[in-house]
Amino acid sequence: MELRASPLWMTGIGSEGDSGIEFARVLERAVSGDVSAFEQIVIRYERRVLTLAWRLLGRGEDAEDASQEVFLRAFRFLHRFDSRRPFEPWLVKLTVNVCRDIGRKRPVVTDLDTESLRARGDPHQEWSAEEQKQILHAALQDLPGKERAAVVLRDIEGFSTAEVAEILGSSETTVRSQISTARLKIRKALKRRRI
């Protein structure tokens, strides 16, 4: 599955070079109902939300649905955001919650055909980077939702254990346990798929 780049991703508005003060002003305007300010927030975080949703849900169509729902909820509940706290973890938590809701309603189906991967080529032949990514993606999708969310947020998105615990509404001990269990399951899945 390949994510398609929308023209909004390429605009450069809201790039990481923006100062925190500028973003705080945009956020303040959006909270007060300025739709164009909220559009700037969407532009800044669209790719981040879509990528995270895809990693959690495993399908492009589901990730696109989740991304739209995340920004609808963000717009609806932006007045509840505590401006003294960082915005991105709030948005990530919203994304995780939307993905959980979608995951409960839909069976987990990935865009990857794992049977065709197993049948392809000599098992002793070295895999290309793309095949390794696909197999890792399939292993992630086989994890239970909470373990997948914990390992994606910690190992792929780069959040600290404390931040993951806050986003998921769990203790740090629970998150460490989920990550450890998920890593073991991923290792076992990778070994199975390589044979």
Side-chain angles (χ1 to χ4, degrees), residues 154-193:
R154 179 70 176 101
D155 293 344
I156 298 174
E157 297 295 326
F159 286 99
S160 70
T161 303
E163 291 169 326
V164 174
E166 184 176 337
I167 290 167
L168 298 178
S170 300
S171 70
E172 288 186 47
T173 304
T174 300
V175 168
R176 281 190 198 98
S177 174
Q178 290 169 333
I179 291 169
S180 177
T181 303
R183 287 174 179 165
L184 287 173
K185 289 178 180 177
I186 289 170
R187 276 190 215 112
K188 287 179 183 177
L190 292 175
K191 284 181 183 177
R192 276 194 314 268
R193 289 189 172 115

XYZ file of all heavy atoms in Angstrom, residues 154-193:
313
model
N 5.462 4.188 20.114
C 6.786 4.206 20.751
C 7.909 3.994 19.734
O 8.844 4.777 19.645
C 6.855 3.118 21.839
C 8.189 3.021 22.538
C 8.408 4.245 23.426
N 9.649 4.111 24.161
C 10.775 4.723 23.810
N 10.818 5.497 22.759
N 11.862 4.566 24.524
N 7.826 2.913 18.965
C 8.947 2.524 18.107
C 8.946 3.191 16.738
O 10.006 3.392 16.161
C 8.969 1.004 17.917
C 9.299 0.266 19.212
O 9.792 0.904 20.157
O 9.073 -0.948 19.276
N 7.791 3.510 16.214
C 7.741 4.092 14.872
C 7.561 5.605 14.927
O 8.257 6.350 14.251
C 6.634 3.427 14.028
C 6.939 1.937 13.867
C 6.499 4.110 12.670
C 5.857 1.139 13.184
N 6.619 6.058 15.768
C 6.359 7.492 15.858
C 7.350 8.215 16.764
O 7.468 9.423 16.701
C 4.925 7.728 16.350
C 3.866 7.204 15.409
C 3.842 7.919 14.078
O 4.111 9.140 14.030
O 3.544 7.256 13.062
N 8.040 7.467 17.645
C 9.100 8.053 18.447
C 8.669 8.742 19.735
O 9.448 9.489 20.325
N 7.458 8.497 20.197
C 7.024 9.078 21.456
C 7.705 8.349 22.610
O 8.023 7.171 22.518
C 5.499 8.967 21.621
C 4.733 9.925 20.756
C 4.178 9.505 19.556
C 4.551 11.243 21.144
C 3.473 10.378 18.757
C 3.846 12.126 20.348
C 3.305 11.705 19.153
N 7.899 9.049 23.718
C 8.459 8.416 24.912
C 7.401 7.505 25.531
O 6.209 7.617 25.234
C 8.880 9.477 25.932
O 7.732 10.095 26.488
N 7.842 6.628 26.408
C 6.902 5.722 27.078
C 5.869 6.520 27.863
O 4.685 6.186 27.853
C 7.668 4.757 28.005
O 8.629 4.043 27.216
C 6.738 3.775 28.679
N 6.297 7.584 28.517
C 5.367 8.425 29.281
C 4.327 9.058 28.363
O 3.133 9.112 28.692
C 6.133 9.496 30.048
N 4.769 9.548 27.201
C 3.833 10.153 26.252
C 2.853 9.118 25.713
O 1.658 9.398 25.580
C 4.598 10.805 25.098
C 5.374 12.036 25.502
C 6.337 12.515 24.422
O 6.909 11.677 23.692
O 6.518 13.735 24.316
N 3.341 7.915 25.409
C 2.469 6.844 24.924
C 1.435 6.505 25.984
O 0.246 6.336 25.681
C 3.276 5.591 24.511
C 2.348 4.436 24.158
C 4.199 5.910 23.336
N 1.873 6.423 27.234
C 0.952 6.115 28.327
C -0.134 7.176 28.426
O -1.324 6.851 28.583
C 1.710 6.009 29.645
N 0.239 8.431 28.282
C -0.751 9.512 28.345
C -1.706 9.444 27.160
O -2.918 9.575 27.324
C -0.060 10.871 28.381
C -1.048 12.012 28.555
C -0.375 13.367 28.695
O 0.811 13.428 29.093
O -1.046 14.371 28.395
N -1.174 9.223 25.976
C -2.012 9.150 24.773
C -3.005 8.003 24.872
O -4.184 8.149 24.536
C -1.132 9.011 23.513
C -0.389 10.322 23.242
C -1.958 8.589 22.300
C 0.730 10.214 22.220
N -2.534 6.848 25.363
C -3.397 5.664 25.429
C -4.220 5.591 26.705
O -5.059 4.698 26.850
C -2.542 4.393 25.283
C -1.793 4.237 23.966
C -0.964 2.961 23.979
C -2.758 4.248 22.787
N -3.973 6.499 27.631
C -4.707 6.478 28.890
C -4.350 5.275 29.745
O -5.208 4.708 30.424
N -3.090 4.866 29.720
C -2.602 3.709 30.470
C -1.459 4.133 31.366
O -0.953 5.245 31.264
C -2.083 2.627 29.517
O -3.077 2.179 28.656
N -1.017 3.208 32.203
C 0.170 3.473 33.014
C 1.406 3.170 32.172
O 1.343 2.440 31.181
C 0.167 2.589 34.259
O 0.384 1.239 33.901
N 2.537 3.717 32.596
C 3.786 3.445 31.887
C 4.141 1.961 31.966
O 4.656 1.397 31.003
C 4.930 4.293 32.456
C 4.816 5.757 32.096
C 6.017 6.567 32.541
O 7.169 6.129 32.313
O 5.802 7.642 33.120
N 3.837 1.335 33.098
C 4.112 -0.093 33.260
C 3.319 -0.909 32.245
O 3.862 -1.825 31.611
C 3.767 -0.542 34.699
O 4.505 0.271 35.611
C 4.097 -1.998 34.915
N 2.050 -0.564 32.072
C 1.215 -1.272 31.101
C 1.755 -1.088 29.693
O 1.842 -2.044 28.920
C -0.247 -0.770 31.184
O -0.738 -1.005 32.505
C -1.128 -1.452 30.163
N 2.147 0.125 29.368
C 2.693 0.410 28.033
C 3.979 -0.372 27.809
O 4.168 -0.978 26.750
C 2.915 1.923 27.837
C 3.740 2.204 26.594
C 1.580 2.640 27.754
N 4.872 -0.396 28.798
C 6.117 -1.164 28.654
C 5.811 -2.641 28.404
O 6.439 -3.290 27.567
C 6.975 -1.017 29.904
C 7.731 0.276 29.971
C 8.749 0.272 31.116
N 9.133 1.620 31.426
C 8.623 2.350 32.412
N 7.717 1.852 33.208
N 9.031 3.581 32.607
N 4.838 -3.169 29.134
C 4.446 -4.567 28.965
C 3.872 -4.811 27.568
O 4.219 -5.795 26.901
C 3.417 -4.947 30.034
O 2.927 -6.235 29.807
N 3.003 -3.907 27.111
C 2.413 -4.043 25.771
C 3.485 -3.987 24.687
O 3.455 -4.768 23.734
C 1.365 -2.940 25.538
C 0.118 -3.112 26.357
C -0.784 -1.884 26.314
O -0.340 -0.763 26.112
N -2.079 -2.118 26.522
N 4.431 -3.082 24.849
C 5.506 -2.950 23.860
C 6.379 -4.198 23.856
O 6.718 -4.728 22.789
C 6.336 -1.677 24.117
C 5.493 -0.439 23.811
C 7.618 -1.672 23.301
C 6.116 0.868 24.269
N 6.731 -4.672 25.019
C 7.562 -5.873 25.115
C 6.868 -7.077 24.479
O 7.476 -7.812 23.679
C 7.875 -6.156 26.582
O 8.618 -7.334 26.710
N 5.605 -7.266 24.821
C 4.830 -8.377 24.248
C 4.714 -8.228 22.736
O 4.874 -9.197 21.991
C 3.429 -8.429 24.893
O 3.584 -8.562 26.304
C 2.607 -9.573 24.351
N 4.439 -7.011 22.276
C 4.301 -6.763 20.836
C 5.607 -7.054 20.105
O 5.604 -7.669 19.035
C 3.862 -5.321 20.594
N 6.722 -6.634 20.668
C 8.021 -6.873 20.024
C 8.299 -8.373 19.899
O 8.806 -8.827 18.870
C 9.136 -6.189 20.798
C 9.142 -4.677 20.644
C 10.175 -4.041 21.537
N 10.198 -2.587 21.388
C 10.793 -1.780 22.253
N 11.438 -2.270 23.309
N 10.761 -0.478 22.065
N 7.989 -9.128 20.951
C 8.172 -10.583 20.885
C 7.299 -11.198 19.796
O 7.754 -12.055 19.032
C 7.850 -11.223 22.236
C 8.870 -11.010 23.344
C 8.337 -11.541 24.673
C 10.190 -11.684 22.998
N 6.049 -10.776 19.723
C 5.141 -11.302 18.704
C 5.621 -10.949 17.300
O 5.514 -11.760 16.384
C 3.724 -10.782 18.932
C 3.048 -11.382 20.149
C 1.661 -10.796 20.346
C 0.977 -11.401 21.557
N -0.345 -10.797 21.804
N 6.143 -9.738 17.143
C 6.648 -9.317 15.830
C 7.848 -10.167 15.436
O 7.936 -10.636 14.297
C 6.995 -7.810 15.825
C 5.712 -6.978 15.878
C 7.816 -7.448 14.591
C 5.946 -5.494 16.112
N 8.773 -10.386 16.386
C 9.934 -11.225 16.094
C 9.512 -12.623 15.657
O 10.037 -13.175 14.687
C 10.849 -11.321 17.318
C 11.795 -10.173 17.427
C 12.844 -10.413 18.509
N 13.133 -9.136 19.118
C 12.834 -8.786 20.359
N 12.256 -9.624 21.171
N 13.130 -7.596 20.805
N 8.564 -13.216 16.382
C 8.081 -14.554 16.034
C 7.422 -14.551 14.661
O 7.631 -15.463 13.866
C 7.094 -15.060 17.093
C 7.750 -15.448 18.386
C 6.717 -15.916 19.402
C 7.367 -16.238 20.730
N 6.362 -16.622 21.745
N 6.628 -13.531 14.384
C 5.956 -13.446 13.088
C 6.968 -13.301 11.958
O 6.823 -13.921 10.895
C 4.985 -12.273 13.072
N 8.012 -12.508 12.179
C 9.037 -12.336 11.150
C 9.784 -13.636 10.902
O 10.080 -13.981 9.761
C 10.005 -11.221 11.540
C 9.435 -9.797 11.558
C 10.461 -8.816 12.070
C 8.931 -9.401 10.187
N 10.083 -14.394 11.974
C 10.746 -15.674 11.804
C 9.867 -16.645 11.016
O 10.345 -17.344 10.139
C 11.099 -16.284 13.162
C 12.286 -15.655 13.813
C 12.605 -16.316 15.134
C 13.768 -15.638 15.823
N 14.049 -16.228 17.126
N 8.568 -16.678 11.329
C 7.641 -17.560 10.608
C 7.570 -17.207 9.129
O 7.550 -18.072 8.277
C 6.224 -17.462 11.199
C 5.972 -18.313 12.388
C 4.477 -18.409 12.684
N 3.771 -17.131 12.637
C 3.577 -16.332 13.672
N 4.062 -16.632 14.841
N 2.895 -15.215 13.519
N 7.539 -15.951 8.813
C 7.380 -15.512 7.424
C 8.658 -15.654 6.618
O 8.627 -15.674 5.400
C 6.856 -14.098 7.382
C 5.402 -14.069 7.836
C 4.795 -12.715 7.595
N 3.368 -12.781 7.862
C 2.754 -12.136 8.826
N 3.436 -11.350 9.627
N 1.464 -12.251 8.992
